[in-house]
Amino acid sequence: SLSCRLYCEEEKDPKRRSCQTVLAEALDIVVRSFAPILPHLAEEVFQHLPYKKASEGVFRTGWINASSAWKKPGIEEAIEGACAVRDSFLGSISGKNALEYEVVIVIEPGLLFELMEALQAEETSSVSQLNEIMMASQTTLLSELPKETPADANIIKGTFLINLEGGDICEESSYKVIALPIAKAKCPRCRRYTSDSSSTPCPRCLKVIAGKGST
């Protein structure tokens, strides 16, 4: 998902820019963390950061003081829940290429479903944060099993314990995961199976390419 955001999205797309922001913040914290024990390496890295810096040297930046903006309520639990679902999905396809599948996630209405909705507002998406975490070509989020579910479908069941507000809010939610072979062709640009033809980019990539041509 990292490479897809950086190399497949439009240059100024918020998804790509947010990814660069996280990478820059992570590098800044790592460099300042090891500066006391590896001062020369830290200073060299700091001097080669590819963006404007508030200080002239790493030892003039002060100690790490992460912004409270990074602590978005519920986001940590949402990511942990999505990773638990992903583990169930990947376990159900036993080492096969996740991009060759679409994953259907079924969660009864409740806190876990709301957290997953924060990562994917649409019912089905190939570009949502939830789909990036799943590493599939497409993810569908439902509150009940679809009627057209194949009779021989391998339905994986799991549970996830949610703890919010320091344990004041605690809820165990169950979920079901169904991995279905994707019916579409591999996009020659982003390598996801979201195209109508193997010789034609998918709709997302066509939009990005068209945007580059107009700038």
Side-chain angles (χ1 to χ4, degrees):
S1 60
L2 177 65
S3 60
C4 192
R5 281 194 180 202
L6 289 175
Y7 302 117
C8 296
E9 297 291 355
E10 240 179 309
E11 183 178 359
K12 295 183 179 181
D13 188 283
K15 289 183 180 180
R16 183 175 185 274
R17 297 294 289 155
S18 65
C19 183
Q20 290 178 309
T21 298
V22 171
L23 289 173
E25 183 74 10
L27 178 61
D28 178 72
I29 290 175
V30 168
V31 170
R32 288 198 280 161
S33 295
F34 68 64
I37 55 174
L38 294 170
H40 299 294
L41 176 60
E43 186 62 38
E44 184 176 358
V45 172
F46 187 84
Q47 293 301 328
H48 287 84
L49 292 176
Y51 49 83
K52 188 176 180 180
K53 302 172 285 291
S55 303
E56 294 180 359
V58 68
F59 288 100
R60 294 180 179 273
T61 61
W63 192 237
I64 301 164
N65 186 20
S67 170
S68 60
W70 292 99
K71 288 293 291 182
K72 186 176 179 181
I75 193 65
E76 183 177 350
E77 290 74 16
I79 299 298
E80 289 178 351
C83 287
V85 175
R86 179 190 63 193
D87 290 345
S88 297
F89 162 56
L90 296 178
S92 72
I93 60 176
S94 59
K96 296 178 181 176
N97 183 2
L99 288 174
E100 296 179 357
Y101 290 84
E102 64 171 303
V103 57
V104 179
I105 303 169
V106 182
I107 306 172
E108 292 184 0
L111 189 52
L112 182 58
F113 187 86
E114 292 174 7
L115 290 174
M116 294 305 99
E117 275 192 317
L119 301 176
Q120 178 170 301
E122 310 89 349
E123 183 175 284
T124 299
S125 177
S126 61
V127 296
S128 68
Q129 294 180 69
L130 181 59
N131 188 65
E132 287 183 353
I133 294 171
M134 292 300 114
M135 302 191 297
S137 278
Q138 182 173 282
T139 296
T140 298
L141 178 62
L142 301 171
S143 59
E144 58 182 17
L145 276 173
K147 294 180 180 179
E148 63 273 15
T149 302
D152 60 346
N154 183 21
I155 302 176
I156 305 298
K157 298 180 180 180
T159 60
F160 180 72
L161 181 63
I162 301 168
N163 279 297
L164 290 171
E165 305 294 337
D168 291 340
I169 301 175
C170 187
E171 180 179 302
E172 186 173 58
S173 300
S174 60
Y175 62 84
K176 298 181 181 74
V177 176
I178 309 171
L180 302 171
I182 197 79
K184 294 188 176 182
K186 182 192 287 187
C187 171
R189 184 173 181 272
C190 69
R191 318 303 289 177
R192 288 181 176 173
Y193 290 78
T194 51
S195 181
D196 294 328
S197 167
S198 58
S199 60
T200 306
C202 66
R204 187 274 301 272
C205 286
L206 284 173
K207 182 179 178 181
V208 173
I209 293 170
K212 286 183 177 179
S214 62
T215 56

